[in-house]
Amino acid sequence: MNRVFSGVQPSGNLHLGNYLGAIRNFVRLQEEYECIYCVVDLHAITMWQDPAELRSNTRTVTAAFLAAGIDPKAQIIFNQSQVPAHAELAWIFHCVARLGWLSRMTQFKEKAGKKRENASVGLYVYPDLMAADILLYKATHVPVGEDQKQHLELCRDIAQKFNHDFGVAYFPLVEPLILGEATRVMSLRDGTRKMSKSDPSDYSRINLTDDATAIARKIRRAKTDPEPLPGSPEGLRGRPEADNLIGIYAALADTSKEEACRRFDGAQFSTFKEALAELTVSTLGRIGAEMRRLLADPGYVDSVLRDGRARASAIAEANLGEIHGIVGLLRP
Ligand code: TYM
C-alpha cells in the first residue's frame, strides 16, 4: 500500500519555500494517496522555543495545512507530541543508526554552526526522530523540499539496517517526492542562501500570512542583477537571484522555467517583478486570509488535531506493537 507522510516544524514563520517545496504538494498528493501530515513540535524543540509561541505556531501550521486545501476528514492531520510512539520508535532507531551517519548530516552542521559542543543532543539525533515519524506509519512516499533529501537517505539507511539486523522485510524504503520548479526557494536578499524561517531579515522571505502590500514590497525590493531576463534557463546560470525569481514564478504559474523565460525574454526586472507580485498575491492572499479566519476560531483547529491524533495513534500503536515483537521487547 502506498502512504504519504510529511511534517512541518512549528517554529517561526511559514514562508513561500515551505509552501512551494512542501505544503502545495501535500495538497496535490491527496488525490492519489492516503496521507498523514504532521506538525512536528518535538522537532521544533531541538532549538529552544518560547512555550506560548510554540503552542500558537502549532495551530498556525495546522491552519496553513487546512487553508492550503488538505481535507482533514480524508487525510490525517495531527501534532507529533500527541502520539508518544514517535519518541519511542526514535529511541529504537538511536540504537540502529550509527554515530558516523549522523555526523555527516549537513543540516546539523549548519544549525549547530561553530558552537557544536553547545548544540542540543536532540538536534544531533533529529534525523532518527524524522525516520521514526515516517516509518512508524510504514509510509512509502515523503514529499519534501530539496533540503530534506539527505535526511530521507538516512531514513532509508535506518530502514535497511533494521530489516537486515532483525532478518525481516518490515520497513519499506521510502521514496522522496521532490516536486516542481521551486524545490529550493532561496532568500530574496541573497540568491545563494535558502529562504528560511529563522533568517533575521523579514525581507528575505514571503510569509504565508503577509498581506498584499507586504508581498508586493518584498518582491519589489528583492535583490536582482542589472541584466534583462534571458529567453531560456541556460541564461540563468551564474545569476542566482534571477534563477530563484524565475523558479518561483514558474512554480506559482504551474509551468516550467523554460516557459517562464520565454514569457519574459528580454524584459526588465521591474516588469517581471510586477507580474510576479500579482501572481504571488493571487495565490498566497487567499491562503493567508483563510488562515486568519481559521485562527480566529482555535476550537476548530484543535478539534482537527484531536481527531487526527486518535486516527494516527491507532496506526502507530499497532505498528509499534509489531516492532516491539521484532526487536524482542517482551509484553508480559
Ligand atoms: P521544515 O519545517 O524546515 O520545512 C517544512 C518543509 O518545507 C520545505 N522547505 C523548503 N522547500 C523549498 N525551499 C525552501 N527554502 C524550503 N524551506 C523549507 C522542507 O524541505 C520541508 O519539506 N525535518 C523537516 C520536518 C520533518 C519531516 C518529518 C519531513 C520532521 N519529520 C518526516 C518529512 C517527513 C523540517 O525541518 O522541515
Side-chain angles (χ1 to χ4, degrees):
M1 187 194 50
N2 285 331
R3 178 180 277 159
V4 159
F5 183 99
S6 198
V8 175
Q9 291 193 59
S11 54
N13 288 306
L14 281 180
H15 53 69
L16 186 63
N18 298 129
Y19 180 67
L20 293 177
I23 298 172
R24 185 172 76 159
N25 299 324
F26 296 180
V27 179
R28 295 181 173 183
L29 288 164
Q30 55 182 346
E31 304 294 320
E32 233 184 290
Y33 295 89
E34 176 201 332
C35 304
I36 304 178
Y37 296 125
C38 186
V39 187
V40 289
D41 47 7
L42 294 177
H43 276 96
I45 61 168
T46 56
M47 313 278 269
W48 189 82
Q49 306 290 326
D50 176 82
E53 266 175 41
L54 178 60
R55 270 188 290 275
S56 153
N57 284 335
T58 299
R59 291 190 175 115
T60 305
V61 174
T62 310
F65 286 174
L66 297 170
I70 297 169
D71 175 353
K73 292 269 183 287
Q75 319 303 336
I76 296 178
I77 297 176
F78 73 109
N79 59 319
Q80 188 184 28
S81 60
Q82 299 311 298
V83 179
H86 288 246
E88 291 183 45
L89 183 57
W91 177 262
I92 293 175
F93 287 169
H94 295 333
C95 304
V96 174
R98 304 290 96 180
L99 278 179
W101 300 356
L102 290 169
S103 302
R104 282 195 288 276
M105 294 294 114
T106 53
Q107 184 165 304
F108 173 75
K109 290 184 203 164
E110 276 165 23
K111 287 202 173 169
K114 292 198 184 75
K115 297 191 189 136
R116 198 186 156 113
E117 294 294 309
N118 224 356
S120 76
V121 176
L123 190 65
Y124 187 70
V125 294
Y126 176 118
D128 290 353
L129 179 59
M130 183 163 157
D133 298 338
I134 299 164
L135 295 175
L136 185 56
Y137 301 93
K138 301 216 252 174
T140 51
H141 294 78
V142 182
V144 283
E146 178 77 38
D147 61 341
Q148 295 299 316
K149 201 169 162 198
Q150 195 187 28
H151 288 158
L152 292 184
E153 280 158 16
L154 187 97
C155 174
R156 289 169 67 100
D157 289 343
I158 289 177
Q160 212 153 20
K161 181 159 163 50
F162 180 97
N163 287 346
H164 175 266
D165 287 357
F166 295 101
V168 290
Y170 187 74
F171 288 124
L173 295 186
V174 299
E175 290 293 336
L177 298 175
I178 299 174
L179 306 169
E181 290 285 11
T183 57
R184 188 177 177 81
V185 176
M186 308 307 276
S187 157
L188 299 182
R189 309 300 297 162
D190 176 353
T192 62
R193 287 190 16 224
K194 202 176 65 175
M195 184 178 285
S196 123
K197 293 180 188 129
S198 54
D199 194 313
S201 165
D202 200 49
Y203 275 95
S204 70
R205 67 180 158 261
I206 293 172
N207 303 307
L208 292 194
T209 45
D210 281 346
D211 61 20
T213 321
I215 294 174
R217 192 180 330 118
K218 287 177 178 180
I219 291 179
R220 220 176 305 121
R221 289 217 200 154
K223 187 176 169 200
T224 52
D225 58 43
E227 302 294 316
L229 286 154
S232 71
E234 290 77 60
L236 295 167
R237 240 177 258 137
R239 301 177 64 186
E241 285 82 18
D243 187 28
N244 186 39
L245 295 178
I246 284 282
I248 293 173
Y249 180 93
L252 285 170
D254 236 330
T255 182
S256 60
K257 281 192 186 178
E258 280 81 8
E259 174 52 29
C261 285
R262 259 197 303 274
R263 269 184 219 173
F264 293 96
D265 185 7
Q268 297 299 326
F269 273 106
S270 51
T271 315
F272 169 68
K273 279 177 165 181
E274 242 168 75
L276 179 60
E278 204 174 297
L279 186 58
T280 312
V281 168
S282 75
T283 309
L284 294 196
R286 188 179 43 78
I287 295 175
E290 179 62 5
M291 281 172 73
R292 279 188 287 278
R293 192 187 69 77
L294 286 163
L295 291 169
D297 173 19
Y300 172 67
V301 171
D302 288 2
S303 75
V304 165
L305 291 174
R306 265 197 307 275
D307 176 60
R309 169 181 66 182
R311 287 152 62 213
S313 288
I315 305 170
E317 288 302 322
N319 288 348
L320 189 67
E322 290 176 1
I323 296 162
H324 279 184
I326 293 169
V327 174
L329 303 170
L330 176 70
R331 176 167 298 171

